[in-house]
C-alpha cells in the first residue's frame, strides 16, 4: 500500500558528507512523523533522527550537531544531511514513515501504521 524508497548512500571518507533521501508513495492519506534509523553489523537498529509533520525534530546524541533531518510534506519526502561523518556512522540506514493510509481514512479508523524503506548502505572509510 505504501512504498518508501531511499537513495543517497555510498562510500565516503571520514569528515565527508552525504545526503540521504526517502520518498513515500502509494495509498497515503497523511504522514505523521518520519525518521531515519540505522543498523550496524552485529548491532540493533537505532534511532538517528525524527521529524514531525510540523517540523519538530529529535536527534540521537551521537549525531547532534552533525546530521540534519528535514522533510518536504508536499512530496512526502524526508532527507538526512550528514556532515562530519565518522567511521562509526557506517551502517545501513532505513527511513520510516508513520502513515495513515487512504483505507484507514475511509474506514474512519485513522490508525497510523509504520512503514519502512529497504535500507541504503553508508560506509565511512579511508
Amino acid at each position: 500500500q505504501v512504498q518508501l524508497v531511499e537513495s543517497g548512500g555510498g562510500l565516503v571518507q571520514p569528515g565527508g558528507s552525504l545526503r540521504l533521501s526517502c520518498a513515500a508513495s502509494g495509498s497515503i492519506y497523511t504522514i505523521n512523523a518520519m525518521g531515519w534509523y540505522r543498523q550496524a553489523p552485529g548491532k540493533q537498529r537505532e534511532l538517528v533522527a525524527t521529524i514531525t509533520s510540523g517540523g519538530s525534530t529529535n536527534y540521537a546524541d551521537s549525531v547532534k550537531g552533525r546530521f540534519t533531518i528535514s522533510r518536504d510534506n508536499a512530496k512526502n519526502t524526508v532527507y538526512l544531511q550528514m556532515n562530519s561523518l565518522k567511521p562509526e556512522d557506517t551502517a545501513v540506514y532505513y527511513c520510516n514513515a508513520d502513515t495513515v493510509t487512504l483505507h484507514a481514512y475511509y474506514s474512519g479508523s485513522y490508525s497510523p501504521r509504520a512503514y519502512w524503506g529497504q535500507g541504503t548502505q553508508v560506509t565511512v572509510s579511508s
Side-chain angles (χ1 to χ4, degrees):
Q1 287 183 321
V2 177
Q3 299 80 40
L4 301 181
V5 178
E6 298 126 336
S7 60
L11 173 64
V12 64
Q13 292 186 342
S17 299
L18 282 175
R19 188 188 193 218
L20 305 183
S21 300
C22 173
S25 63
S27 182
I28 298 169
Y29 171 66
T30 190
I31 300 177
N32 299 324
M34 301 184 81
W36 289 94
Y37 294 72
R38 66 186 181 187
Q39 187 166 18
K43 295 187 177 181
Q44 290 188 332
R45 190 173 298 188
E46 63 176 3
L47 179 146
V48 176
T50 61
I51 184 168
T52 68
S53 57
S56 296
T57 59
N58 179 55
Y59 295 93
D61 288 343
S62 59
V63 307
K64 282 181 180 176
R66 301 188 297 123
F67 291 10
T68 302
I69 189 171
S70 60
R71 67 189 280 178
D72 184 332
N73 290 332
K75 295 182 179 180
N76 289 329
T77 300
V78 63
Y79 306 95
L80 186 68
Q81 178 66 45
M82 305 185 292
N83 298 329
S84 302
L85 283 161
K86 304 175 181 180
E88 50 263 44
D89 294 318
T90 295
V92 178
Y93 284 69
Y94 298 90
C95 72
N96 169 279
D98 191 45
T99 305
V100 178
T101 65
L102 288 174
H103 176 77
Y105 169 71
Y106 287 122
S107 70
S109 70
Y110 299 94
S111 296
R113 174 187 164 184
Y115 288 88
W116 292 89
Q118 80 286 353
T120 185
Q121 177 70 46
V122 171
T123 302
V124 184
S125 175
S126 56

